[in-house]
Every structure is written in C-alpha cells, then in structure tokens.
C-alpha cells in the first residue's frame, strides 16, 4: 500500500466519522461516533495492542453507508428489520482491504461474541441494554452448544469477546474521550504494516 493510499483510507474514515457519526446508535444515548470513540478509549485504557484499539474504534463501521471509489461500505440493514444483522461482516470486509487481520477479524466476530457470551456467561444477558437485547433476537439469539464450540475453535475469539465488553461499556453519554484524530497515527501505522 502506498503512502497515498494510507492517507486516503484514514481520511475516508475521518470523513465517515464526521459525516455519519452523528447518527443515532440503535436508540442508545450516544451517537455512533461517540460510541465507537468510547470503545476505543476503553481499549486504550486497558493497554490493548494497537490492532485491537483500532478494531474497537472501527467495530461498527459497517453501520456507515458511504460508497467510495476504491472500497465500498454498503449493505447497511436497519436493525429493526427482521433480517440477520450483517454490519459486522460488511465492516470487516471493508477493513480487511486496508488493515491487518487482527483489526478486521475481531470486528467480524463482535456480534457473534455477544451471542457467545449470552450462551456461556451467566448474568451477561441481564447486563445488555434494551437495544442490545432487541438486536440479539435479530442476530439469532444465544449460540447453541455447537456454535459455541465452533466459535472457540476459530481465530480471534478471545479478541472478539474483549472487544464485545468494550462495546457494551461504550454507551455512557457523559464519558470524556479523545476524538478520531487521536488515532490517526496508530491507524496509519497499522495500514502501513498490512
Ligand atoms: Fe457497537
């Protein structure tokens, strides 16, 4: 990837955050951008590796709907629709074109991780927000025993679960966290390493 490409993709993401980040986040008290920035701040505070901080920052990028010349972010499906929620895959596919697997794959699995935690961790379901409980139904409900085993066998399961916990924690409207530009150098470094 050329330097120009790297600047392009990070600018593209900055634009998405600025233009679409103000969208409502599934009925939560934070906007989509606020939510993703909060997740990234949780990751950073936890001392996570750069790739996982980026994954937290970008985990819901599949909710954004901008078409671009060299990559597409599309397939946005309203969670209220009674279809499977594909935003994790849409986002991960787009990210995989630019960033290492360690960024894209936890994003791909972050919805599965919710279904996983609901199946294996007593009390997890009770901590979900109302919106998250609603989407769980659309996403297929708690995993079956077979699905749990398959999830655990796959790569990035632990990272996806960790990301999921930040996702749940990132809904506090009063949190004071850095903006998108705080992550620019980190994102450029990751894109460069891919
Ligand atoms: Fe999220």
């Amino acid at each position: 990837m050329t330097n120009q490409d790297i600047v392009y993709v990070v600018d593209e993401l900055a634009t998405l955050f600025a233009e679409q980040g103000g969208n409502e986040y599934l009925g939560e008290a934070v906007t989509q951008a606020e939510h993703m920035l909060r997740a990234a701040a949780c990751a950073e505070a936890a001392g996570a590796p750069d790739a996982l901080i980026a994954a937290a920052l970008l985990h819901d990028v599949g909710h954004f709907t901008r078409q671009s010349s060299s990559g597409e972010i599309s397939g946005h499906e309203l969670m209220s629709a009674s279809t499977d929620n594909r935003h994790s895959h849409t986002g991960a596919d787009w990210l995989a074109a630019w960033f290492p697997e360690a960024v894209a794959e936890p994003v791909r699995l972050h919805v599965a991780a919710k279904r996983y935690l609901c199946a294996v961790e007593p009390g997890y379901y009770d901590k979900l927000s109302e919106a998250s409980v609603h989407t769980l139904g659309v996403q297929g409900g708690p995993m079956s025993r077979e699905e749990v085993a398959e999830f655990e066998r796959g790569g990035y399961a632990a990272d996806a679960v960790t990301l999921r916990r930040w996702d749940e924690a990132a809904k506090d409207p009063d949190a004071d966290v850095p903006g998108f530009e705080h992550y620019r150098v980190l994102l450029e470094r990751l894109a460069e390493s891919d």
Side-chain angles (χ1 to χ4, degrees):
M1 203 180 299
T2 66
N3 265 350
Q4 218 177 351
D5 284 341
I6 291 166
V7 170
Y8 165 81
V9 70
V10 179
D11 280 347
E12 190 77 357
L13 287 166
T15 304
L16 285 168
F17 268 73
E19 288 181 355
Q20 294 194 32
N23 294 349
E24 186 198 15
Y25 177 60
L26 308 171
E28 303 286 357
V30 288
T31 65
Q32 289 192 354
E34 285 167 347
H35 168 62
M36 292 159 82
L37 291 166
R38 278 156 179 69
C42 289
E44 204 172 24
D50 284 359
L52 202 49
I53 294 174
L57 176 70
L58 304 173
H59 77 273
D60 280 335
V61 84
H63 282 313
F64 293 151
T65 53
R66 189 164 207 250
Q67 301 284 325
S68 68
S69 51
S70 52
E72 287 189 355
I73 294 181
S74 60
H76 176 84
E77 288 176 25
L78 287 176
M79 294 293 251
S80 54
S82 58
T83 54
D84 182 27
N85 165 39
R86 304 286 304 165
H87 86 274
S88 52
H89 292 275
T90 310
D93 287 345
W94 189 84
L95 292 172
W98 303 100
F99 295 101
E101 220 176 70
V103 177
E105 292 314 302
V107 171
R108 186 182 309 283
L109 294 173
H110 85 276
V111 169
K114 177 169 82 171
R115 299 185 52 229
Y116 171 79
L117 284 167
C118 284
V120 303
E121 191 170 285
Y124 177 80
Y125 175 90
D126 297 328
K127 286 185 292 187
L128 292 178
S129 66
E130 207 181 309
S132 221
V133 167
H134 170 73
T135 54
L136 176 68
V138 179
Q139 290 153 352
M143 281 185 173
S144 66
R145 214 184 321 180
E146 293 73 36
E147 287 174 314
V148 163
E150 198 188 324
F151 181 81
E152 287 174 345
R153 272 196 308 272
Y156 297 103
D159 281 353
V161 165
T162 304
L163 169 56
R164 187 71 224 181
R165 296 191 195 280
W166 296 326
D167 192 357
E168 303 303 340
K171 295 171 179 177
D172 173 9
D174 296 325
D176 188 18
V177 299
F180 182 86
E181 288 305 317
H182 176 73
Y183 302 98
R184 177 174 287 271
V185 172
L186 177 149
L187 292 174
E188 286 175 355
R189 209 161 46 222
L190 285 165
E192 212 171 63
S193 73
D194 189 36

